[in-house]
Every structure is written in C-alpha cells, then in structure tokens.
Amino acid sequence: MEPSAPARGRGVDTGAETVGRRVRALREERGMSLSTLARLAGVGKATLSGLENNTRNPTLETLYAITAQLGVPLTAVLAGPAATPTVRGAAVSATLLEVFTDTDATYELYRMRVAPGPGQLSPAHQPGVTEHITVFAGVLRAGPVDAPLTAGVGGHLRWTSDVPHSYAAVGDEEVWASLLLRYPRQ
C-alpha cells in the first residue's frame, strides 16, 4: 500500500515546541552561545533564536545543520518515541519510522518522499555518518554533491554523508524510498 502524500510545506510537523527546547538544552549543555552555534551551522542567528523560541518552524536542512554541529542524530531534537514526526525540506519529506541503537551506532529509519522539480542540498553530517536509501518508486539522484549516485525502483544507494549532499527526483515522477541514517558512536 502506497503511503498518502504528505501535506505541502516545509518544516517539522510534530513537536515543534519540543524541538526548540531540545536544541536549546543541547546547545547549553555544550556551553555554546547562540551566535556560535548559528555560525558553525551556517544558519542565521535570528533563525536559530526563532527555532529555540518556537516562533520559526525549522526546515530539514536547518535541523541537519544544527544537529551536525551539536554532534547528535536528528532524532535527538525531534518529538518523543511515541511520535512519528515528519520533517520537510526543499524537495524531501521524511517521516521517522524507528530509531534503534547498538553498541557502535544509532540508526534512524525514515519513509522518504522526494518531489519532482528542483532538488535539495543538505549540509554535511558529523564525521562517519552514512546514508542508505532503497528506492520503491521513481528514480533518485542523491549523494555527495561532487559525485551523486542514481537508482531506480529496487535500487540502493550508500554514501558517507559527512560532506554536503543532495537529493533530486529524476524526471516527473516523485520518488518514494526508505532512508536509513547510521550515526557512529563517538
């Protein structure tokens, strides 16, 4: 059964207030100022302040940039375990399905949709993070900006995502895929 298409728009659907609180708490635990985190993540200070104060809805790109600088998986700032938050970026919509850990890593499993049209650029994750995508519908071009990979239905892509990377649907058909992120323990 194909999942229903998510609503249009960008940002986090579930627990936006919690996201802001968690970002602030993680930043403060690390002794980072708002200005320092904004600079390191490459986001505006006003954007980060708005996120922490729940006056701005963060995009997927913004959350990845911030969590990479905090050294945590995306799910460290999303809503609690009972929630299934959906995050949206310029082209990607991803719904969290499960988070699991083992002795070496934390994994996040998402149902991902990539809309046709302009692609999405994502910032680098922390060192050693890998992405694994299996395509169920459409054709996807994704991976490091300087060496993207392409896969169609049944294909699998894998890359180390500690560099800027992109996602784009090839052609007019939207892409449905699973995305598994592996965050090695530090």
Side-chain angles (χ1 to χ4, degrees):
M1 174 179 204
E2 182 172 286
S4 61
R8 295 272 180 221
R10 295 176 68 181
V12 175
D13 283 351
T14 305
E17 184 176 315
T18 303
V19 170
R21 274 197 311 264
R22 289 183 178 169
V23 166
R24 181 181 308 225
L26 288 165
R27 177 180 60 76
E28 290 174 350
E29 283 174 18
R30 286 154 179 74
M32 295 176 99
S33 70
L34 188 89
S35 297
T36 299
L37 180 55
R39 179 178 45 77
L40 292 173
V43 300
K45 186 176 174 182
T47 297
L48 182 56
S49 177
L51 173 112
E52 287 188 359
N53 291 305
N54 307 310
T55 60
R56 291 198 183 204
N57 195 17
T59 65
L60 182 59
E61 298 93 334
T62 299
L63 285 177
Y64 274 133
I66 290 168
T67 56
Q69 294 309 311
L70 293 170
V72 297
L74 179 64
T75 53
V77 299
L78 296 179
T84 55
T86 297
V87 289
R88 290 185 173 76
V92 174
S93 173
T95 301
L96 179 65
L97 300 175
E98 186 173 355
V99 177
F100 47 99
T101 60
D102 65 24
T103 56
D104 298 329
T106 296
Y107 299 86
E108 297 173 347
L109 179 62
Y110 294 89
R111 178 179 52 239
M112 181 172 76
R113 175 186 169 270
V114 182
Q120 176 173 318
L121 178 64
S122 288
H125 296 290
Q126 54 267 40
V129 173
T130 55
E131 295 194 26
H132 309 259
I133 298 175
T134 301
V135 177
F136 300 109
V139 177
L140 178 67
R141 180 173 296 118
V145 171
D146 61 352
L149 308 163
T150 302
V153 175
H156 176 80
L157 305 175
R158 179 197 181 281
W159 70 90
T160 301
S161 55
D162 54 7
V163 296
H165 47 286
S166 62
Y167 309 87
V170 176
D172 295 332
E173 186 180 347
E174 68 184 3
V175 173
W176 286 95
S178 65
L179 167 63
L180 179 70
L181 283 108
R182 181 185 183 276
Y183 297 87
R185 296 223 187 242
Q186 312 239 348

